[in-house]
Amino acid sequence: MPWLRRLFWLVFAVLSVWGLSWVLVPPLAKHQLERIASDKLGREIRLERLEFKPWSLELTLWGLSMASAPGSADRQPQFELRRLYVDASLASLFRLAPVVNAVQVEAPTMRLTHLGGGRYDIDDILQRLRVPDAPASAAPPGFALHNLVLSGGSLDLTDRADGKPHALRELSVSLPFLSSLASQREVLVQPQLAFRFNGSRFEASGNTAPFAQTRRADLQLKLKDLDLAPLLAYLPADLPVQLGAAVLSTDLRLVFETVPTTSLRISGSLQADRVKLQVAQPGTGVRSELLAWEQLELGIDDLRPLERQARLGVLTLRGPRLTVSRDAGGQLALPGLTPTNATKKEAGQPDATRPEALNAAPYGGWTLTLARIAVQAGSLSWRDHSTVPAAALALQGLSLTATGLALPLTPPL
């Protein structure tokens, strides 16, 4: 029968493609991955073996490693990974975006050296990976990653500045999904974050109901008076604004849902005390205070980052100090915060007078409501170098109360 012969040849063609892919893809993909990754990162990348199952779109990498920097005295690899398993979905083809049913990362090991001044032995890699900022109107890339599990992770940090070693062990991370697409997949993992840092144990976990109609998962994240001062020396040195001090407390609830659409909702409260933000003066490297405050409390009623919606409660800011100056050209002197027109063009950002910039979604497409904002005992220091002689202004005891704030600015404030 003609239809039977067609069916036979169809099955034969599919099996042949599967067989050739199963045999040929692993060695070719292994070679290309090592070559391209080594070229992009400037480090030697090695992979023990690669497995690919074309009939189920499962990909497994075994023994991935990245060499240390050229000329380094450390002979150990900078990064090692025992196993990476990816279970891709056929939905990726018709969505034209990666849709993955499961991602498993086993025993990733990273070795870092802090050279001092916020510099690391991986700065050469970060410089290679740095790309210009995308235009403000660009839509976020589409993707859907489900059942993400990282287990057995470790990090060794050697600080040459003070000679102190830091060790992070038993890192375990589980997330039901990370997605910007409306996708319905089976959620099989519970949200969890656990690790041991310098001997101290931290663990945050949640509850999930994978068989419920909404496939809902909850995660509670609580921190109490976490002093960030010991960690600030490890921030990159080229940040436009440096964090000089901060004490952080959180009581957050994260709710994942996959039905009817993928969503993430965050609620709870944030508190940041004794915060100092500093900027480096051009040509000197000396840091000066830009903004500081004694206490900031924020209530989050409903934050939905995937939908770009934020409904906030009360924002209370106590004792803020803002120091601002204007240069001789009339521009606000905020290093790193006020890019020049040339910088904007190099980064590919549209000019404000062009039609594409005028038609771009305001505030990046975000909608925000803030029930109430209260500023107490604030101060402002202003110096204007565009006048002769330079003008100075100092205001103390500033207070502000506002209700009904919304972005875009459609209702009255």
Side-chain angles (χ1 to χ4, degrees), residues 23 58 61 75 85 96 117 123 149 161-162 165 175 185 196 203 217 240 243 280-281 288 309 323 351:
V23 173
E58 294 175 84
L61 307 182
R75 297 289 183 179
Y85 169 77
L96 299 179
D123 285 349
V149 177
D162 57 15
L175 289 175
R185 322 296 298 180
R196 186 163 49 87
E203 185 171 358
L243 184 62
Q281 297 300 320
S288 61
Q309 298 179 7
T323 304
D351 189 277

Side-chain angles (χ1 to χ4, degrees), residues 42 68 106 109 234 287 298 304 323 334 351 365-366 373:
S68 56
E106 293 184 6
T109 301
Y234 303 110
R287 295 181 183 178
L298 174 62
R304 306 190 182 196
T323 304
L334 298 177
D351 189 277
W366 277 84
I373 180 173

Side-chain angles (χ1 to χ4, degrees), residues 143-315:
F143 68 94
L145 309 178
H146 296 80
N147 301 307
L148 296 95
V149 177
L150 184 151
S151 60
S154 65
L155 170 66
D156 290 294
L157 175 61
T158 303
D159 194 334
R160 289 184 181 176
D162 57 15
K164 293 182 179 179
H166 302 279
L168 185 146
R169 296 289 184 269
E170 302 173 14
L171 175 62
S172 175
V173 181
S174 299
L175 289 175
F177 61 83
L178 289 174
S179 174
S180 60
L181 299 174
S183 177
Q184 298 183 10
R185 322 296 298 180
E186 289 296 326
V187 174
L188 304 175
V189 304
Q190 289 186 333
Q192 181 186 35
L193 171 63
F195 57 84
R196 186 163 49 87
F197 183 68
N198 291 344
S200 299
R201 183 73 181 176
F202 174 84
E203 185 171 358
S205 60
N207 298 315
T208 184
F211 302 106
Q213 189 174 14
T214 59
R215 293 185 178 90
R216 177 188 177 112
D218 289 1
L219 174 65
Q220 297 286 339
L221 180 58
K222 294 185 178 182
L223 295 174
K224 181 62 177 177
D225 296 333
L226 176 63
D227 190 358
L228 300 182
L231 306 177
L232 299 182
Y234 303 110
L235 293 176
D238 58 350
L239 292 177
V241 178
Q242 291 285 346
L243 184 62
V247 178
L248 184 65
S249 299
T250 67
D251 186 0
L252 297 175
R253 180 188 182 193
L254 288 75
V255 179
F256 301 88
E257 290 183 347
T258 59
V259 176
T261 59
T262 300
S263 67
L264 168 62
R265 291 185 290 134
I266 303 174
S267 60
S269 62
L270 286 172
Q271 182 172 324
D273 300 338
R274 302 188 293 279
V275 175
K276 294 181 180 180
L277 299 177
Q278 303 169 333
V279 294
Q281 297 300 320
T284 64
V286 178
R287 295 181 183 178
S288 61
E289 182 179 289
L290 171 65
L291 176 64
W293 64 78
E294 293 300 321
Q295 186 179 72
L296 182 147
E297 295 179 344
L298 174 62
I300 302 175
D301 294 337
D302 190 10
L303 172 61
R304 306 190 182 196
L306 300 182
E307 304 167 42
R308 300 191 178 190
Q309 298 179 7
R311 184 164 55 86
L312 307 179
V314 178
L315 172 63

Side-chain angles (χ1 to χ4, degrees), residues 109-154:
T109 301
M110 188 73 182
R111 299 176 180 89
L112 285 179
T113 300
H114 181 233
L115 307 176
R119 297 179 297 110
Y120 294 86
D121 58 348
I122 60 169
D123 285 349
D124 58 321
I125 298 177
L126 299 179
Q127 185 65 32
R128 284 174 169 266
L129 297 178
R130 185 170 297 172
V131 296
D133 295 335
S137 59
F143 68 94
L145 309 178
H146 296 80
N147 301 307
L148 296 95
V149 177
L150 184 151
S151 60
S154 65

